[in-house]
């Protein structure tokens, strides 16, 4: 079983790299709105609770669930930079990516030793 952080990162990877899964006819705008509210509603919600909400949401979307399960499991963290490619999901629901990124460890750019 994945840790909460692994679940969050795996979902974020699928969200950002496979937007077509979320834009399929199987996923309604109402479901995306509900997910958006669940993920972005409160910053004091624990990672475990957010991961549980993601898993519950994915139960209704087996293709997305399978993609999340297949995503790399190691939590790498994220640099505080914007993605180079934007897509309609990120334009419609910009807070999902930022809310999930805030829950993952930050990577600071290190300068090579001279």
């Amino acid at each position: 079983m994945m840790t909460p952080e692994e679940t969050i990162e795996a979902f974020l990877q699928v969200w950002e790299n496979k937007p077509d899964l979320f834009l399929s006819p199987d996923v309604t705008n109402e479901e995306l709105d509900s997910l958006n509210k669940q993920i972005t509603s409160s910053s004091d919600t624990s990672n475990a609770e957010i991961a549980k909400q993601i898993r519950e949401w994915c139960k209704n979307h087996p293709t997305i669930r399978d993609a999340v399960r297949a995503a790399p499991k190691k939590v790498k963290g994220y640099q505080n930079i914007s993605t180079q490619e934007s897509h309609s999901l990120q334009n419609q629901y910009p807070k999902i990516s930022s809310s999930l990124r805030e829950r993952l460890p930050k990577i600071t750019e290190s300068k090579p030793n001279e």
Side-chain angles (χ1 to χ4, degrees):
M1 190 161 164
M2 294 173 157
T3 67
E5 289 76 17
E6 288 171 337
T7 300
I8 291 168
E9 182 171 13
F11 183 84
L12 183 59
Q13 287 176 21
V14 174
W15 175 261
E16 292 181 342
N17 298 319
K18 297 183 179 184
D20 53 306
L21 296 178
F22 296 89
L23 297 172
S24 76
D26 298 337
V27 182
T28 66
N29 285 339
E30 290 80 16
E31 291 172 311
L32 288 173
D33 289 341
S34 174
L35 178 66
N36 184 49
K37 287 177 188 169
Q38 289 174 351
I39 289 176
T40 63
S41 65
S42 176
S43 62
D44 61 346
T45 303
S46 71
N47 284 356
E49 184 60 32
I50 293 294
K52 180 180 175 186
Q53 291 170 348
I54 288 171
R55 285 191 302 274
E56 289 296 318
W57 190 88
C58 285
K59 282 182 183 179
N60 296 322
H61 307 285
T63 305
I64 296 171
R65 180 198 61 214
D66 293 345
V68 169
R69 287 180 178 169
K73 304 294 186 274
K74 187 175 180 187
V75 176
K76 301 174 200 167
Y78 278 88
Q79 291 184 354
N80 226 359
I81 56 174
S82 59
T83 57
Q84 292 179 356
E85 290 192 21
S86 68
H87 50 75
S88 60
L89 272 180
Q90 288 180 352
N91 291 337
Q92 267 186 296
Y93 302 99
K95 291 184 179 180
I96 288 180
S97 291
S98 62
S99 292
L100 293 178
R101 264 196 208 98
E102 288 173 9
R103 296 183 170 279
L104 298 173
K106 302 283 189 253
I107 296 176
T108 56
E109 291 185 46
S110 58
K111 295 180 181 178
N113 293 336
E114 293 179 25

